[in-house]
Amino acid sequence: MSAARWEARADLVVVGTGVAGLTAALRARELGLRVLVVTKAAGGDGNTRWAQGGVAVVLPGEHDEGDTVDAHVADTLVAGAGLCDEAAVAAIVSGGPAAVTRLRERGAVFDPAPGGKLARTREGGHSAFRVVHAGGDATGAEVERALLAAAGDDRVPVLEDHVAVDAVRTPLGAVCGLLVLDSAGVPGVVTAPAVLLASGGLGQLYQATSNPEVATGDGLALAMRAGAHAADVEFVQFHPTVLYTGRGARGRCPLVTEAVRGEGAVLLDALGQRVMRGVHPLEDLAPRDVVAAAITRHAATAPGGVDDHVFLDATGIGDFARRFPTVLAACLAAGIDPASRPIPVAPAAHFACGGVVADVDGRTAVTGLYAAGEVARTGLHGANRLASNSLLEGLVVGTRAADAVAADLALGLLARASGHAELPTAPVADRDSLQRVMSRYAAIGRDAEGLAVVGSVLDLSTTDRVLDSRERVEDAALTLAARALIAAAAERTETRGCHVRTDHAGRDDARWSRSQVVRLTPSGQPVLADPALARDAA
Ligand code: SIN
């Protein structure tokens, strides 16, 4: 007997109300599809609104200094440390100008420069000033505001406090709906031939993260249970600079945008020595993986007796309050005035470079299942995402995914069917233990022994549970994501991008210039798939 006690119907159900999900829903509406959006929290509670730096994009007429889409592509490939899919990078980066233009038509307001063009900043790994921003350092908040307002204007139905649990599938495995817990915890089904996952990342795998509490890897777990593959999951990007508020920070830590370094701030240790000098030709504007790893190594030597953070000297930035109001407010709340003293900062988990294997149109290998934004692994990021390419990806792939759903429906490729839906049972680990061991052994700097410890702790703290609440769904997702990550991280015996192996320093191109694909066994364990699949994904 089905567990579902209510039913809704749509052509497309979108999971998530961040940049990718809302962009897709708005586009689907334009295309005449019946679209329904579900989110487990309130509409604006996702990760998008916390994005600070901006959107990396080369806009026609805005870049007089010779910046080009090709240069943006080249910077993305360098940051990705040999694992980007070049065709995906070219498609997404070249789709940026149209996507940002459409976003502005939908009401997003970007900061102007004197003279009327858009202001642009620079972040780590960019060879030019090409990052457009809003509200100084509140770009994500403006993008989210504009998209939520547009969704309201276009009457896109958004079900808040509704938790996506599992895909509903036909006997042949095609997705034909979504099992959802409503705001009272009652299970129901949204019957739909297309489900788009735009549910964000998994920063909550770690004790300290720039991500909000909703970032628990739910979409990754749902997709894998539905038979989709994941790739590049070992590459979790740590942002080099979140505000350090004391030893043992927990949960979401305020971001100190990389654009602060783009405007001239430098990293210092407690003795006033430059952290990035001699580490990389771009020094403080090296790609993010390089800076985060350098801070970690440098702090471990405890200069001046300080071993868990460094300092960002922004005292030379004259108009800090106007340019970085969000960072300023967080600093002042912590009793720090960036105008008069360096900001204490430390790395924290920030972005999943890997995820559900999908093409640039959001299609996964499972009929009817699509993925866009941080949950997806399109090949744009490779082993390390270039700064401010994430909002860009959400805008471009969100649009393309809605177009793909419309095209697949028109061709009759999707399953219009009702399916049987039972609340699934899945392994669930204790969240606190999981976050503790992931932070200790699977963050920046991993080795075989530590990764094995994570596995043992998960074994000891895991029990099978029915996924009948938001907490259970999240904990099951974190458990699956942690298992997938440590399986891939243990196998990759090299250091590349965000994956730093202390027992295998250096990049091994002969062996490891490829992605790893993870799939679920019938008993629900993530295992590495045949490397031939990895070649197809890469
Ligand atoms: C930042 O502003 O430093 C973060 C932006 C991003 O993750 O791309």
Side-chain angles (χ1 to χ4, degrees):
M1 198 181 72
S2 173
R5 298 196 356 230
W6 54 267
E7 189 188 12
R9 286 180 180 268
D11 297 318
L12 167 66
V13 54
V14 175
V15 182
T17 48
V19 59
L22 289 175
T23 300
L26 285 161
R27 178 67 183 150
R29 190 81 167 178
E30 275 173 1
L31 294 168
L33 301 184
R34 286 177 309 156
V35 60
L36 186 63
V37 182
V38 298
T39 175
K40 66 182 178 181
D45 280 355
N47 215 352
T48 294
R49 83 169 155 113
W50 300 104
Q52 292 187 353
V55 185
V57 65
V58 181
L59 289 169
E62 294 285 345
H63 296 75
D64 300 333
E65 303 84 10
D67 191 20
T68 61
V69 167
D70 285 350
H72 186 179
V73 166
D75 291 347
T76 302
L77 296 175
V78 169
L83 287 197
C84 295
D85 174 330
E86 294 193 19
V89 174
I92 294 171
V93 169
S94 61
V100 170
T101 301
R102 187 74 189 100
L103 178 67
R104 294 175 76 192
E105 287 165 2
R106 286 193 168 121
V109 179
F110 287 89
D111 294 335
K117 292 189 175 182
L118 291 184
R120 283 167 286 126
T121 191
R122 194 173 160 196
E123 292 180 79
H126 286 278
S127 58
F129 282 75
R130 67 166 71 97
V131 176
V132 296
H133 48 83
D137 59 3
T139 313
E142 172 59 9
V143 169
E144 186 69 24
R145 181 206 62 74
L147 290 174
L148 279 173
D153 291 348
D154 287 5
R155 296 200 169 78
V156 173
V158 178
L159 299 180
E160 297 186 323
D161 297 316
H162 280 60
V163 184
V165 181
D166 236 4
V168 183
R169 291 190 293 154
T170 66
L172 291 178
V175 166
C176 60
L178 188 70
L179 180 61
V180 174
L181 297 172
D182 72 10
S183 52
V186 176
V189 163
V190 183
T191 298
V195 172
L196 171 65
L197 299 172
S199 49
L202 39 68
Q204 294 290 330
L205 278 177
Y206 296 90
Q207 289 174 310
T209 172
S210 63
N211 296 183
E213 60 170 15
V214 294
T216 50
D218 307 359
L220 178 75
L222 188 154
M224 290 186 74
R225 284 198 299 270
H229 292 131
D232 294 338
V233 287
E234 64 271 42
F235 300 108
V236 174
Q237 182 174 77
F238 279 65
H239 196 286
T241 58
V242 303
L243 183 64
Y244 174 84
T245 50
R247 199 174 280 281
R250 298 282 183 278
R252 193 187 70 77
C253 307
L255 196 61
V256 179
T257 174
E258 206 160 51
V260 177
R261 276 176 283 130
E263 306 286 338
V266 292
L267 291 159
L268 304 176
D269 65 22
L271 298 173
Q273 301 300 311
R274 293 276 301 270
V275 174
M276 291 307 296
R277 185 136 291 163
V279 174
H280 189 279
L282 290 173
E283 298 195 333
D284 294 86
L285 283 176
R288 202 171 272 177
D289 56 338
V290 175
V291 182
I295 290 174
T296 304
R297 278 195 312 273
H298 198 94
T301 65
V306 176
D307 69 356
D308 62 348
H309 64 283
V310 295
F311 298 87
L312 184 62
D313 186 354
T315 53
I317 301 178
D319 57 352
F320 194 94
R322 183 192 58 79
R323 183 62 186 80
F324 300 111
T326 312
V327 175
L328 179 66
C331 289
L332 293 179
I336 298 144
D337 179 3
S340 58
R341 71 172 169 113
I343 307 166
V345 289
H350 182 60
F351 189 86
C353 299
V356 181
V357 177
D359 65 15
V360 292
D361 297 307
R363 291 187 183 94
T364 72
V366 178
T367 301
L369 187 66
Y370 302 76
E374 188 173 351
V375 69
R377 180 273 189 199
T378 57
L380 174 64
H381 310 307
N384 172 55
R385 174 173 65 82
L386 183 67
S388 287
N389 265 358
S390 53
L391 293 177
L392 171 78
E393 184 181 39
L395 291 168
V396 174
V397 181
T399 304
R400 292 181 68 130
D403 289 343
V405 170
D408 293 350
L409 277 170
L411 289 170
L413 298 176
L414 306 183
R416 286 208 184 266
S418 298
H420 181 80
E422 279 299 331
L423 288 172
T425 299
V428 171
D430 171 68
R431 192 184 295 205
D432 192 54
S433 308
L434 178 148
Q435 290 174 332
R436 204 162 24 79
V437 283
M438 288 295 291
S439 304
R440 172 78 180 80
Y441 297 113
I444 302 175
R446 306 158 169 179
D447 62 21
E449 213 175 308
L451 292 166
V453 171
V454 179
S456 305
V457 170
L458 292 179
D459 286 345
L460 286 173
S461 80
T462 299
T463 32
D464 282 350
R465 301 271 187 214
V466 178
L467 306 189
D468 57 2
S469 67
R470 171 173 161 179
E471 193 184 353
R472 291 264 174 90
V473 169
E474 290 183 343
D475 285 343
L478 287 169
T479 306
L480 191 156
R483 290 266 188 210
L485 189 156
I486 60 167
E491 192 68 15
R492 185 176 286 280
T493 48
E494 65 157 358
T495 289
R496 178 187 299 265
C498 310
H499 172 68
V500 178
R501 282 287 297 254
T502 51
D503 52 352
H504 291 279
R507 198 163 132 172
D508 180 353
D509 279 333
R511 183 158 178 227
W512 280 114
S513 291
R514 64 174 176 87
S515 292
Q516 298 189 93
V517 170
V518 186
R519 64 174 176 81
L520 277 198
T521 63
S523 65
Q525 285 303 319
V527 292
L528 292 170
D530 187 323
L533 281 173
R535 276 194 294 277
D536 290 347

